[in-house]
Amino acid sequence: MKIAVGLDIGGTNTKIILADENGEVLAGRQAATPSVSGAGAGKTEGDRIEDLLIKNLKDFMNDEAVKPLISHADLAGIGLGVAGFIDRKNGLIIKSPNIAALNGLAVRELFETEFSLPVAVENDANAYAYGERWIGTGKDIDNFVVLTLGTGLGGGHIYKGELYEGPFEIGHMIMEPDGRFCTCGSHGCLESYASGRAIVDRVIKALEDGAKSMLAECCDGNFYKITPDLVFQKALDGDNLSREAFREVGRYLGVGIANIINIFRIDAVLIGGGLLGAWDLFIEELTKEAFKRAFKPFSANIRILKSSLAKDAGSIGAAGLLFKKLSLSHEAVSQPVI
Ligand SMILES: [Zn+2]
């Protein structure tokens, strides 16, 4: 049985798993994504983000529980899902808005050289979509999009059963021309209204304007310590401001989904990411807006579904993409020469 390592390198955490060819996870761990301010140049060895990422993976592979699994199987390679814009052909991270230290890193060559294994590189939300298509909710759905609702908002697209290898930066679809500033440098992006960061920004602004909320009592009055999880907890406790923050997420996601439905022929929208647990707080607004605004002939049979792989989808998808890359290269080699 072949196995592969899958890494999901996100803005906050890096998830590492070991999976077999059926997508079964044999081992896994999560660690904080190394936080360093600048790109490799000028840093001493050991301080650079690339060294820290490699150290994380070596620690995982040398773990007492993982080492025997690797030595008793055929380790096929490493799949990397990275939060950022990817140059697949050259295995480069062109730009990572949330992990600036990765900008310009030739990540495929780096891991190939270090581990002497084949490496596949993909955007993290695309890897997530592939994971859902491979063994998750999207297993039997040929055309769907995935929205990953976490600190930011990612997107991936499965078209005719295959991963669409485009940027699919749905979080940066512009909803309000003069709207809120976005981390990408533009204004009014969907991510500025529908993401963990957007939820926190919204409640902080309301609290600073004097809104009444259970959140006003928290964090010793330092509103900048508020997290999306805290707003979620207060929403469950019945706090109106927190509940409204999630309804706004639903409203904007619904409008964004209506745009997607009108552009692509899809059968389903899958929602995943770290804030999936708040589903009940946003799904009503989301569904109402999406189906009110989308063209009726296109939207009639579209399903809005939960991701089933939750936190592992990105790393499982990255491992799956490695297997896919190997099978494609094998097919290419096996083609008869005419
Ligand atoms: Zn943006």
Side-chain angles (χ1 to χ4, degrees):
M1 173 69 84
K2 279 191 165 56
I3 59 172
V5 172
L7 273 89
D8 180 5
I9 304 170
T12 310
N13 290 310
T14 295
K15 180 92 193 190
I16 311 176
I17 56 117
L18 197 61
D20 68 18
E21 283 175 290
N22 299 319
E24 187 172 335
V25 177
L26 309 171
R29 85 155 51 156
Q30 184 169 295
T33 297
S35 171
V36 291
S37 50
K43 297 262 171 196
T44 54
E45 201 166 325
D47 266 352
R48 298 177 305 185
I49 192 163
E50 50 267 49
D51 298 329
L52 297 170
L53 286 171
I54 283 168
K55 182 179 178 305
N56 273 354
L57 180 51
K58 281 187 175 169
D59 287 349
F60 172 76
M61 291 168 75
N62 287 321
D63 186 283
E64 275 181 29
V66 176
K67 215 170 175 177
L69 295 170
I70 293 176
S71 61
H72 289 107
D74 179 4
L75 183 58
I78 301 165
L80 299 172
V82 186
F85 310 123
I86 305 298
D87 173 352
R88 279 174 206 84
K89 190 161 173 274
N90 297 304
L92 286 172
I93 301 167
I94 300 169
K95 186 175 166 66
S96 176
N98 292 320
I99 323 170
L102 291 177
N103 292 347
L105 187 66
V107 69
R108 188 175 68 210
E109 189 184 350
L110 178 78
F111 276 74
E112 277 175 350
T113 306
E114 193 66 38
F115 293 94
S116 302
L117 287 166
V119 175
V121 184
E122 187 46 85
N123 165 271
D124 59 343
N126 282 0
Y128 195 114
Y130 187 78
E132 287 294 339
R133 169 64 184 166
W134 188 29
I135 58 160
T137 303
K139 200 164 169 252
D140 300 315
I141 309 173
D142 284 339
N143 298 290
F144 65 89
V145 298
V146 171
L147 301 179
T148 58
L149 184 61
T151 310
L153 180 72
H157 184 197
I158 299 293
Y159 177 66
K160 293 186 177 175
E162 299 291 337
L163 178 67
Y164 167 67
E165 291 185 339
F168 214 72
E169 289 291 343
I170 217 77
H172 302 285
M173 175 192 289
I174 297 159
M175 312 290 283
E176 307 275 4
D178 301 312
R180 295 177 195 163
F181 183 70
C182 179
T183 51
C184 74
S186 184
H187 285 264
C189 297
L190 180 55
E191 181 174 290
S192 304
Y193 297 87
S195 65
R197 195 184 295 115
I199 287 170
V200 169
D201 287 352
R202 185 185 195 286
V203 298
I204 289 175
K205 181 165 188 322
L207 291 168
E208 287 178 341
D209 289 346
K212 286 198 167 48
S213 163
M214 292 178 192
L215 289 166
E217 313 298 322
C218 76
C219 307
D220 301 321
N222 183 353
F223 299 147
Y224 290 89
K225 286 186 178 169
I226 291 173
T227 62
D229 277 346
L230 182 65
V231 183
F232 173 55
Q233 289 305 325
K234 296 299 175 193
L236 293 182
D237 292 342
D239 180 55
N240 279 337
L241 176 64
S242 303
R243 294 183 78 83
E244 180 51 33
F246 279 96
R247 277 198 295 272
E248 182 180 86
V249 165
R251 204 151 50 236
Y252 275 94
L253 278 181
V255 176
I257 288 170
N259 286 330
I260 296 168
I261 292 171
N262 289 348
I263 298 170
F264 299 105
R265 208 201 76 67
I266 51 170
D267 303 314
V269 176
L270 272 55
I271 314 263
L275 289 175
L276 181 61
W279 174 270
D280 288 344
L281 297 170
F282 63 74
I283 191 61
E284 194 181 330
E285 285 291 326
L286 182 157
T287 309
K288 192 173 83 185
E289 290 295 334
F291 291 106
K292 184 172 78 183
R293 292 168 188 269
F295 287 145
K296 297 293 172 290
F298 305 151
S299 63
N301 297 312
I302 288 177
R303 293 171 291 162
I304 313 280
L305 302 168
K306 282 184 188 177
S307 150
S308 57
L309 303 177
K311 288 179 181 168
D312 285 343
S315 47
I316 293 173
L321 283 163
L322 183 277
F323 286 128
K324 186 178 161 63
K325 174 180 169 159
L326 294 183
S327 71
L328 288 176
S329 59
H330 179 72
E331 275 172 28
V333 171
S334 309
Q335 289 290 324
V337 180
I338 301 171

